[in-house]
Amino acid sequence: MKKTPKIGGELALIEQISRLFHSRQKNITLGIGDDCAILRPPAGSEILVTTDFTLEGRHFRRDLHPPESVGHRCLARGLSDLAAMGATPIAAFLSLALPGSMLENAAGRAWIARFFEGLRTLADLHRVPLAGGDTSESPGGNNAHILADIVLIGATPKGKALRRSGAFAGDALYVTGHLGGAASELFTMMRRRRLGNAKTTEDHPHLFPEPRLDVGEALLRRELATSCIDLSDGLSSDLAHLCRASRLNAEIEQAAIPIHPLARKSGAIAALQSALHGGEDYELLFTAPASRPMPTSLAGVAITRIGTLKKRSSKHPMMTLLAPDGARTELNPGGWEHFAKPSTTRNRKSS
Ligand code: ADP
Ligand code: MG
């Protein structure tokens, strides 16, 4: 691991950030340092924008998540939204509020430096420059929290962005990678009640999820998908979003769901629950005409067919789960929903 750089007050912090993140890139005319950044999107493109909060106590806990993971996840969430629409990232903007005490002590400064290290490693991997942001002290004195809001700007060729609403009845339903790993890793961390330990970013589906930008871009470029969404809330919840947007029903084949090896360790029933309802896997869920040949992997990521889209009908539930014995049951959204009333079946994120 690299030596942790020293960070002083706010100005020094911004200077530190701008040194860490070079924004020399063909789509950035001006990065950190002026009142605004100047972007030059590729000719013939449309701009896609997404923003995501990362709030201490809601999306991460300082006693469970290593700072590199918090920085990584902060950026990964926005990148995954771009991936879901087949976009190529152009720039990220980070608004960060920190407890004043963090800038005053070595432990706090080290936390901030490691947060940026995690964010920068993922930004470098996907060549997305941090082109600006805002820095402020968070209110609350000794009880102040770390609050981050990231904005991601991406581009697609005009009219080509993948949407949730493009699926047709009869389309096949596909998923990338494996499901349930993030929920399993989080449950293990919560049970152990100590800081997650990650020597590498690999094989940590909760701490270091891998946004599927290359898959999203390939789906768009090769015109393989009719609709797409990223799995942030959980398969059952995100499929419901796709069904509603496309005005269709869906049937999932239970035996076809690619369950993450980490989830499998918890036994068949718990593994299935994690795969269906556990959020934050950041895989892509997409549809394509059933007759269109689909590669078994895209950009090195496994692609699995898990079901079929059906015409909407009041006689059938919006989502159905087909068990290996042929029994069909209604599948209800059981993933994450902010401000929802607590229920015993609802999965809790890292809050
Ligand atoms: P202003 O007062 O005009 O908003 P700031 O002092 O907030 O300027 O920011 C100075 C420069 O540093 C700007 O280019 C801004 O985008 C950048 N910046 C500030 N905070 C951050 C941050 N957390 N991450 C990235 N860039 C930042
Ligand atoms: Mg500012």
Side-chain angles (χ1 to χ4, degrees):
M1 189 162 291
K2 287 211 187 86
K3 229 178 102 201
T4 353
K6 284 260 182 311
I7 290 172
E10 183 195 326
L11 270 184
L13 173 58
I14 296 176
E15 224 166 81
Q16 182 70 41
I17 296 169
S18 77
R19 267 203 302 275
L20 263 177
F21 293 85
H22 315 279
S23 52
R24 244 172 291 141
Q25 208 237 29
K26 62 180 191 304
N27 301 123
I28 311 271
T29 310
L30 186 63
I32 294 176
D34 213 316
D35 289 317
C36 294
I38 306 178
L39 310 180
R40 186 178 295 151
S45 66
E46 270 174 335
I47 294 295
L48 290 86
V49 184
T50 174
T51 93
D52 284 285
F53 269 136
T54 294
L55 309 179
E56 182 175 8
R58 173 60 54 185
H59 302 100
F60 74 94
R61 280 170 40 175
R62 246 187 286 179
D63 60 340
L64 287 184
H65 294 83
E68 291 86 355
S69 160
V70 181
H72 176 108
R73 286 164 50 80
C74 179
L75 179 62
R77 298 176 59 203
L79 289 178
S80 180
D81 284 328
L82 291 183
M85 304 202 58
T88 307
I90 288 187
F93 295 84
L94 178 71
S95 292
L96 188 62
L98 297 165
S101 58
M102 283 188 86
L103 290 179
E104 286 156 18
N105 65 64
R109 289 197 294 270
W111 195 98
I112 297 166
R114 289 177 58 191
F115 166 89
F116 276 106
E117 189 57 34
L119 200 149
R120 191 181 64 115
T121 303
L122 185 64
D124 283 353
L125 185 68
H126 294 289
R127 278 178 240 101
V128 47
L130 185 67
D134 198 23
T135 307
S136 173
E137 183 176 345
S138 53
N142 287 338
N143 295 317
H145 288 122
I146 299 167
L147 313 167
D149 184 40
I150 201 151
V151 176
L152 262 296
I153 312 279
T156 61
K158 249 179 211 150
K160 296 287 186 194
L162 306 173
R163 300 176 185 209
R164 299 175 176 185
S165 57
F168 296 96
D171 277 0
L173 182 67
Y174 297 92
V175 74
T176 61
H178 296 85
L179 305 185
S184 296
E185 185 174 29
L186 176 62
F187 287 145
T188 306
M189 283 165 50
M190 305 230 308
R191 207 177 47 238
R192 289 186 186 151
R193 288 202 202 140
R194 58 181 148 77
L195 197 64
N197 177 10
K199 290 202 178 64
T200 74
T201 58
E202 268 164 55
D203 296 326
H204 287 284
H206 173 77
L207 292 174
F208 297 100
E210 298 174 35
R212 300 304 190 191
L213 284 156
D214 293 349
V215 180
E217 287 176 52
L219 290 175
L220 183 146
R221 193 177 59 248
R222 296 167 63 173
E223 302 194 337
L224 287 170
T226 48
S227 74
C228 189
I229 187 171
D230 71 317
L231 293 178
S232 51
D233 296 335
L235 175 61
S236 61
S237 292
D238 292 316
L239 176 59
H241 298 320
L242 191 144
C243 283
R244 271 191 219 101
S246 291
R247 298 170 191 279
L248 294 170
N249 287 352
E251 183 168 285
I252 292 186
E253 241 181 87
Q254 188 182 310
I257 300 173
I259 296 181
H260 196 284
L262 272 186
R264 284 188 190 284
K265 286 188 193 163
S266 55
I269 294 171
L272 180 65
Q273 291 303 307
S274 293
L276 285 175
H277 308 299
E280 303 186 306
D281 282 318
Y282 297 111
E283 296 294 347
L284 298 182
L285 180 71
F286 64 94
T287 57
S291 58
R292 186 175 294 169
M294 186 60 66
T296 53
S297 78
L298 279 171
V301 182
I303 306 291
T304 310
R305 179 171 177 176
I306 59 166
T308 307
L309 278 292
K310 312 241 171 183
K311 242 169 82 184
R312 181 157 277 193
S313 121
S314 54
K315 283 191 226 118
H316 299 286
M318 188 170 72
M319 300 186 293
T320 310
L321 188 66
L322 177 60
D325 65 2
R328 286 183 165 81
T329 50
E330 178 170 1
L331 177 66
N332 287 305
W336 173 257
E337 206 181 316
H338 280 282
F339 310 117
K341 292 216 172 66
S343 99
T344 47
T345 55
R346 193 171 295 286
N347 286 285
R348 283 277 148 213
K349 271 193 189 174
S350 36
S351 51

